[in-house]
Amino acid sequence: MHDPAVFRSEHLARFQAEPTVFAAPGRVNLIGEHTDYAEGFVMPAAINFATLAGISPRSDGKIAIYSENYGEERYFEAADLPAKASRHWTDYPLGVVAILAGEGLAIPGFSLSVWGDIPLGSGLSSSASVEVATALAVLEVSGASYPSSAMTGPMLARLCQRAENEFVGANCGIMDQFISANGAKDHALLLDCRDLSFRLAPIPANVALVIANTMVKHSVAGGEYTTRRAEVEAACAVIASHRPEVRFLRDATVQDLNRWGSEMTPNSLKRARHVITENLRTVAAADALAKGDLAELGRLMAEAHASYSKDFEGSCAEADTMVALAQDLPGLIGARLTGGGFGGCTINLVEQSEAQDFVEALGGRYAAQVGIVPQIHICHASGGAHRLE
Ligand code: GLA
């Protein structure tokens, strides 16, 4: 993690003003993949990788945005914001500013510095964390209080999701922004993506979150995510034509698939089977975690990976290999591909006492078999976005 004192002094040197600094975490999803946009269940945890956003007011009506990662600074007019995205990293912070302005917030000129240590395109929600950190910073400089009844954590997550959907143009669900804003230390969170109610699921102190990066990149804006989502929605439309009360696959059952699956394309049927069974697994996994039944949790994660890989076809050879290579390592509780898919990271729940050896063994095996040296991190569940004092 970047030393916040250094981050502050760099902002001061660049913009001649002391910043207020906010941090928003990335996330790892333990189970519940591609269920959020079907109004289903997900069970992510915020992690100890984050984006920092430092903000200070300006008197010239400009918005200056500096990314320490890209070493690049851009200027905009607060009173004349770009109407659309430009496929540049500034789309994420600007999207948030545009959505907040659209909600009636008077946006003053400001200088914003952004830095993050979440590996980009690795399925750990770097973009959501930029959005959430920016949102907290912009609310602060605009004089809005957070959290408040006018702007709760779930509301903030929804606005950041809209920034990504409506401005950036990526059709993501609510999971990533929600957990970045509302994560809880030492807990995963079972989120009902229909009404955004949630319950905390404690991660035992002797369990490590080992995140293994296949080093194969994915992009939510890329075509596969959109295709899968369309296939899921097409399956839902078939069921809804018989049972109009089914608005999302959240409302559908395996029996529905057995009755009407033949009216779907083979791909839609498989995607729907993944989503419907994944919702059941996710709720069961939260119950297992609450009871401390780690063996059951591991079994559900294995089933979830098989379903993600075979029915949803959201995995890739490297991620399947990373999951397979973990299976017989001492201390493994459960492993699966996490996040949007088509590359990125696997999540391995591992007994803390075995975690270091696990990292070395898995890294060695993956490098030998795939020919890529992976980055593997021992993480812990962290709190949601907050101001740094
Ligand atoms: C990406 C999206 C999320 C969710 C996951 C898949 O991370 O941003 O909304 O759909 O993929 O579970």
Side-chain angles (χ1 to χ4, degrees):
M1 175 79 149
H2 201 334
D3 180 351
V6 175
F7 181 71
R8 263 178 221 285
S9 63
E10 283 171 1
H11 183 101
L12 176 61
R14 174 169 298 275
F15 295 117
Q16 289 78 52
E18 271 289 344
T20 308
V21 180
F22 299 86
R27 65 101 185 89
V28 70
N29 190 20
L30 302 190
I31 193 165
E33 224 64 83
H34 288 265
T35 46
D36 58 354
Y37 53 78
E39 294 204 346
F41 295 91
V42 294
M43 192 165 69
I47 54 174
N48 51 313
F49 284 101
T51 297
L52 298 184
I55 198 157
S56 55
R58 300 174 68 98
S59 50
D60 61 1
K62 293 198 185 306
I63 291 179
I65 311 182
Y66 173 67
S67 160
E68 211 177 300
N69 296 75
Y70 291 107
E72 200 184 7
E73 186 175 308
R74 289 282 171 105
Y75 282 83
F76 305 89
E77 297 293 329
D80 185 21
L81 292 167
K84 57 183 178 51
S86 57
R87 295 190 169 275
H88 188 256
W89 60 264
T90 48
D91 289 349
Y92 296 94
L94 278 180
V96 170
V97 176
I99 292 291
L100 288 173
E103 287 296 297
L105 191 71
I107 311 279
F110 62 79
S111 303
L112 178 74
S113 306
V114 179
W115 169 88
D117 63 358
I118 306 167
L120 302 182
S122 63
L124 301 178
S125 299
S126 53
S127 30
S129 83
V130 170
E131 290 153 7
V132 171
T134 302
L136 292 193
V138 172
L139 287 172
E140 159 79 20
V141 84
S142 309
S145 64
Y146 176 84
S148 68
S149 55
M151 184 62 73
T152 62
M155 288 161 78
L156 186 89
R158 199 54 101 185
L159 291 176
C160 290
Q161 181 202 12
R162 282 183 51 206
E164 186 137 353
N165 293 166
E166 296 169 26
F167 192 89
V168 178
N171 210 9
C172 66
I174 187 70
M175 168 167 70
D176 306 345
Q177 292 80 7
F178 194 93
I179 188 68
S180 183
N182 303 291
K185 190 172 173 347
D186 301 328
H187 290 79
L189 192 148
L190 177 71
L191 173 66
D192 181 340
C193 299
R194 168 150 283 169
D195 61 7
L196 301 188
S197 61
F198 61 90
R199 74 179 147 97
L200 296 180
I203 297 177
N206 60 342
V207 174
L209 307 180
V210 178
I211 297 176
N213 193 342
T214 61
M215 314 303 279
V216 180
K217 294 230 170 183
H218 89 125
S219 161
V220 170
E224 298 281 15
Y225 186 94
T226 307
T227 314
R228 291 299 183 283
R229 189 168 172 166
E231 287 164 346
V232 164
E233 285 162 1
C236 187
V238 168
I239 299 172
S241 71
H242 300 281
R243 287 214 297 130
E245 68 277 21
V246 172
R247 290 190 299 119
F248 290 89
L249 281 189
R250 153 68 175 276
D251 306 308
T253 64
V254 175
Q255 289 74 26
D256 292 333
L257 288 184
N258 293 341
R259 286 182 74 182
W260 298 304
S262 59
E263 297 173 28
M264 299 170 189
T265 65
N267 276 352
S268 261
L269 172 60
K270 283 161 67 177
R271 311 312 181 227
R273 191 161 59 208
H274 166 75
V275 172
I276 291 170
T277 56
E278 184 82 345
N279 274 328
L280 299 172
R281 283 189 289 272
T282 304
V283 174
D287 292 341
L289 206 44
K291 280 191 290 202
D293 188 349
L294 297 179
E296 173 66 358
L297 177 62
R299 194 189 64 73
L300 290 163
M301 288 174 75
E303 250 184 54
H305 183 78
S307 169
Y308 199 14
S309 180
K310 295 203 174 65
D311 273 348
F312 204 77
E313 293 178 277
S315 186
C316 61
E318 295 86 350
D320 286 345
T321 300
M322 188 75 92
V323 168
L325 292 175
Q327 295 306 317
D328 64 343
L329 288 177
L332 182 78
I333 296 161
R336 55 176 290 279
L337 173 61
T338 188
F342 314 103
C345 294
T346 66
I347 169 70
N348 303 266
L349 296 187
V350 180
E351 286 164 30
Q352 189 74 56
S353 57
E354 301 283 355
Q356 197 55 54
D357 290 350
F358 180 92
V359 167
E360 275 152 39
L362 183 61
R365 283 179 171 188
Y366 185 80
Q369 183 143 339
V370 179
I372 301 173
V373 177
Q375 284 170 5
I376 310 186
H377 310 278
I378 301 178
C379 291
H380 53 261
S382 308
H386 60 281
R387 179 183 177 143
L388 296 184
E389 294 309 329

